[in-house]
C-alpha cells in the first residue's frame, strides 16, 4: 500500500508480508520494520528467511513491513561533519524525519490495518544498519528488537562508535535486544 508522509513530505510504498497462519488465526503478531524494504531491495530475502525460521519453529511468527526507498542516503543518515561523506550520500540528515515517519505515521497505520501486539523490531544492513544503530542510541524505546547487519558505523568519522559509552549511559532499563 501507499502512505503519504508529512514527516518526509512524500508518498511512500509499504510492503507487508504476513506469516502463513495469519489469515487462519485471531492472534496478534509482533512487527519487524525494514528500511530498504522494497520489492527490488532486501524485502524478498528477509521475507523468505522469516518464513523458513517461522516454519522450522526457530522464531515466533512476525509481520514484516518493508519501506521502499526514495532517497536512501537522506533517509538513513544523520548529519555528518565529514566532507568526504558527501561522495556516498550527497543529501543527508534525514534520519530524524524518517524516524518520525516510522514512529508517528507508519506504526499507527500498521497497528490499524493488521492484528499487531506491542512488540516491534527493526532490521537492516549497511546504511539501514547505521539508521538502526542511531535509533538504538538516540531513541532506544522505539523498538524492542534491533537487528543491524554490517552497519555503516564509519559515517561521520565513526561518531556512534566514538560516543557509544556516553550514549549508552542514557540507555533505559528496558528489555531491549540488539543484534
Amino acid at each position: 500500500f501507499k502512505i503519504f508522509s508529512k514527516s518526509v513530505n512524500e508518498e511512500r510504498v509499504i510492503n507487508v508480508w504476513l506469516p502463513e497462519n495469519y489469515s487462519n488465526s485471531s492472534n496478534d503478531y509482533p512487527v519487524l520494520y525494514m528500511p530498504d524494504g522494497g520489492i527490488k531491495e532486501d524485502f524478498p530475502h528477509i521475507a523468505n528467511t522469516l518464513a523458513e525460521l517461522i516454519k522450522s519453529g526457530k522464531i515466533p511468527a512476525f509481520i514484516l513491513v518493508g519501506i521502499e526507498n526514495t532517497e536512501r542516503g537522506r533517509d538513513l543518515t544523520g548529519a555528518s561533519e565529514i566532507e568526504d561523506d558527501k561522495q556516498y550520500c550527497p543529501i543527508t540528515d534525514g534520519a530524524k524525519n524518517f524516524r518520525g515517519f516510522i514512529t508517528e505515521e507508519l506504526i499507527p497505520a500498521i497497528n490499524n490495518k493488521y492484528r499487531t501486539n506491542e512488540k516491534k523490531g527493526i532490521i537492516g544492513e549497511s546504511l539501514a544498519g547505521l539508521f538502526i544503530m542511531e535509533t538504538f542510541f538516540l531513541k532506544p524505546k522505539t523498538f524492542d528488537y534491533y537487528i543491524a547487519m554490517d552497519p555503516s558505523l564509519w559515517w561521520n568519522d565513526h561518531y556512534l562508535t566514538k560516543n557509544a559509552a556516553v550514549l549508552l549511559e542514557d540507555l533505559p532499563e528496558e528489555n531491549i535486544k540488539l543484534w
Side-chain angles (χ1 to χ4, degrees), residues 17 43-56 59:
W17 176 87
F43 186 79
H45 311 294
I46 298 299
N48 286 334
T49 301
L50 281 178
E52 288 300 316
L53 290 170
I54 293 166
K55 185 177 179 180
S56 66
I59 64 169

Side-chain angles (χ1 to χ4, degrees), residues 25-112:
S25 79
S26 59
N27 296 342
D28 293 339
Y29 294 88
V31 181
L32 187 59
Y33 291 88
M34 182 181 173
D36 288 341
I39 296 298
K40 294 182 180 179
E41 297 167 313
D42 293 332
F43 186 79
H45 311 294
I46 298 299
N48 286 334
T49 301
L50 281 178
E52 288 300 316
L53 290 170
I54 293 166
K55 185 177 179 180
S56 66
K58 293 182 178 170
I59 64 169
F62 272 82
I63 295 171
L64 178 63
V65 175
I67 308 159
E68 195 167 295
N69 285 314
T70 57
E71 186 63 52
R72 186 173 189 265
R74 174 200 65 202
D75 290 343
L76 300 178
T77 61
S80 177
E81 298 173 5
I82 308 306
E83 189 66 30
D84 201 37
D85 285 352
K86 289 180 184 173
Q87 71 177 312
Y88 303 105
C89 302
I91 304 171
T92 64
D93 200 19
K96 61 186 171 297
N97 296 335
F98 188 61
R99 191 175 300 105
F101 161 64
I102 293 171
T103 59
E104 298 165 23
E105 298 172 303
L106 183 58
I107 289 173
I110 293 298
N111 289 343
N112 285 331

